[in-house]
Amino acid sequence: LRKYLNQAIKLHLTRNLPDPTEPSFLKQDLLTPLLNAVKSYETVPNRKEMISDSMVAHMLRLCKLLPTYSLDSAILDWIILGRFTGARRSEWCQDGPAIEMTEPNFAHETPEPRAFIFEDFEFFDSDGKRIYTVSAAHVDVVEFVKIRWRFQKNNDNGQVIPYKRDRARPDVCPVSAALRIILRASALGLPLSLPLAVYSASSSTSPYRHIRASQVVDLLRRSAQSVFGLKSNDKLLLKWTCHSIRVTAANILHRAGMSDSYIQTRLRWKSNTFLMYLRNTFYSADRHTKALNISNSNIPNLSTSDGLRYRPLETHEAFISKHFPAQAA
């Protein structure tokens, strides 16, 4: 990059163009777009992997043996919900022991948690009636959850998106996961003003602890290592992070054949940058093969190396082959 810039300066001087190093010329920021393009190019090898269906199945089997309020069970609920929402790390868990708060501004003079709190989840029955106080008695009644995205990277703060219950696949249902998240936080005595992503911590002075990003990464990499038979020091494991949840959400919708505009809207992008999240996965390889699957009836009448044909001759072809062998050849 340095050599490129030196050549650019040389080009300006040899062609009697304004010296790009002059302070007056530097009023125009011509370097930032270049650096951004280089950054985008150099981060291609570091792009994160999606969470495969087999990894989700592995975590489901693992957590069936664990208490509902355990760390892994709590993280899995957020992963299941995240497969639908594409939640960013800052929107639900913490990067360290301290709760991440917003910076005071004109819109929010008092610092608030960046991650979801109780009031950001609203539940409804099949008729659209609001269920204000959710308890275990409402588990079978709830049909929708509306989630308010309090603070977003794109600054579209306060956006509300509804999600519907998947009764055909309850293990990976986003509404069921949201219910477990709320019921877990309530049972652990979480104050209404604190982030929802908690798990049981009976060994500490508090009955709960907040989920950290490092703990999410640990579960994802343990699952990937087990499912794909990777060694513990395999560099491929570094490709699973909290961001894998958002990558997964984009790829699932793309795999389902949803339009670009639908993916962009449902996963809260303001541009088509989500296209950078799409991956060449085993699922896309499978679809590619199926897309090129030509029916036998459309395959040319060619012989294989063993003298056999790709398909049986049709009636008219058999007649020509028998009575006019030269023409058939």
Side-chain angles (χ1 to χ4, degrees):
L1 182 59
R2 186 176 292 107
K3 291 181 180 179
Y4 176 86
L5 294 175
N6 288 333
Q7 289 299 317
I9 294 172
K10 183 178 179 180
L11 178 65
H12 274 72
L13 297 179
T14 55
R15 297 194 177 187
N16 296 320
L17 296 173
D19 185 350
T21 61
E22 287 293 325
S24 58
F25 191 82
L26 293 177
K27 290 181 180 180
Q28 290 181 292
D29 185 5
L30 303 178
L31 186 59
T32 297
L34 175 62
L35 293 176
N36 288 340
V38 172
K39 181 180 178 181
S40 177
Y41 175 79
E42 292 179 342
T43 55
V44 169
N46 297 322
R47 290 178 182 173
K48 306 310 174 187
E49 288 285 348
M50 68 174 290
I51 305 167
S52 68
D53 294 349
S54 54
M55 288 176 62
V56 174
H58 173 267
M59 289 184 281
L60 285 169
R61 290 192 298 270
L62 171 68
C63 292
K64 284 186 183 298
L65 305 175
L66 299 174
T68 305
Y69 299 164
S70 67
L71 173 60
D72 285 354
S73 295
I75 293 175
L76 179 56
D77 281 336
W78 285 99
I79 291 174
I80 291 172
L81 182 60
R83 293 171 81 247
F84 285 80
T85 66
R88 302 175 180 91
R89 195 275 310 162
S90 62
E91 294 167 342
W92 70 278
C93 70
Q94 308 303 313
D95 201 29
I99 294 176
E100 295 181 29
M101 307 292 285
T102 60
E103 294 291 336
N105 53 46
F106 290 111
H108 303 277
E109 296 182 358
T110 304
E112 299 180 40
R114 288 189 173 277
F116 298 118
I117 60 176
F118 277 100
E119 67 181 32
D120 296 323
F121 282 45
E122 297 178 354
F123 296 93
F124 302 82
D125 65 14
S126 58
D127 294 324
K129 295 180 180 178
R130 173 83 181 273
I131 302 174
Y132 286 92
T133 304
V134 177
S135 66
H138 298 101
V139 170
D140 293 331
V141 179
V142 173
E143 192 70 18
F144 298 93
V145 61
K146 284 185 177 180
I147 296 180
R148 181 171 71 100
W149 301 85
R150 51 179 34 245
F151 297 106
Q152 298 196 73
K153 183 179 180 180
N154 62 13
N155 292 322
D156 195 2
N157 302 329
Q159 182 181 9
V160 176
I161 299 179
Y163 303 91
K164 188 181 186 301
R165 191 155 191 168
D166 186 350
R167 296 188 181 274
R169 300 179 300 168
D171 284 345
V172 290
C173 171
V175 177
S176 297
L179 279 168
R180 290 192 295 271
I181 288 168
I182 290 292
L183 294 176
R184 180 184 296 112
S186 297
L188 293 175
L190 181 73
L192 298 178
S193 60
L194 293 184
L196 283 171
V198 294
Y199 64 99
S200 176
S202 56
S203 60
S204 67
T205 56
S206 172
Y208 61 83
R209 284 182 179 172
H210 284 91
I211 297 173
R212 298 186 191 180
S214 59
Q215 296 169 322
V216 180
V217 172
D218 177 67
L219 176 59
L220 290 176
R221 291 178 182 174
R222 278 190 283 125
S223 178
Q225 184 180 351
S226 177
V227 169
F228 301 118
L230 302 174
K231 295 181 179 180
S232 59
N233 61 349
D234 195 312
K235 292 183 178 180
L236 183 60
L237 291 172
L238 300 177
K239 291 185 175 293
W240 280 280
T241 68
C242 287
H243 205 60
S244 295
I245 295 176
R246 190 156 176 78
V247 172
T248 302
N251 279 272
I252 287 177
L253 288 179
H254 184 258
R255 189 172 86 195
M258 307 308 293
S259 68
D260 290 355
S261 60
Y262 184 89
I263 298 174
Q264 181 177 329
T265 301
R266 287 297 290 179
L267 299 184
R268 303 166 290 113
W269 269 291
K270 282 192 171 181
S271 68
N272 64 355
T273 53
F274 75 90
L275 293 173
M276 297 179 64
Y277 284 64
L278 302 182
R279 302 289 184 264
N280 279 309
T281 64
F282 289 130
Y283 309 115
S284 57
D286 179 63
R287 290 190 64 186
H288 195 165
T289 299
K290 290 179 179 178
L292 299 181
N293 182 25
I294 303 175
S295 171
N296 282 341
S297 62
N298 291 324
I299 295 178
N301 180 27
L302 299 175
S303 298
T304 61
S305 59
D306 57 5
L308 300 176
R309 297 182 181 275
Y310 284 108
R311 61 175 173 80
L313 292 177
E314 296 183 14
T315 303
H316 70 283
E317 292 173 328
F319 178 83
I320 293 174
S321 179
K322 180 179 180 180
H323 298 285
F324 307 95
Q327 184 176 342

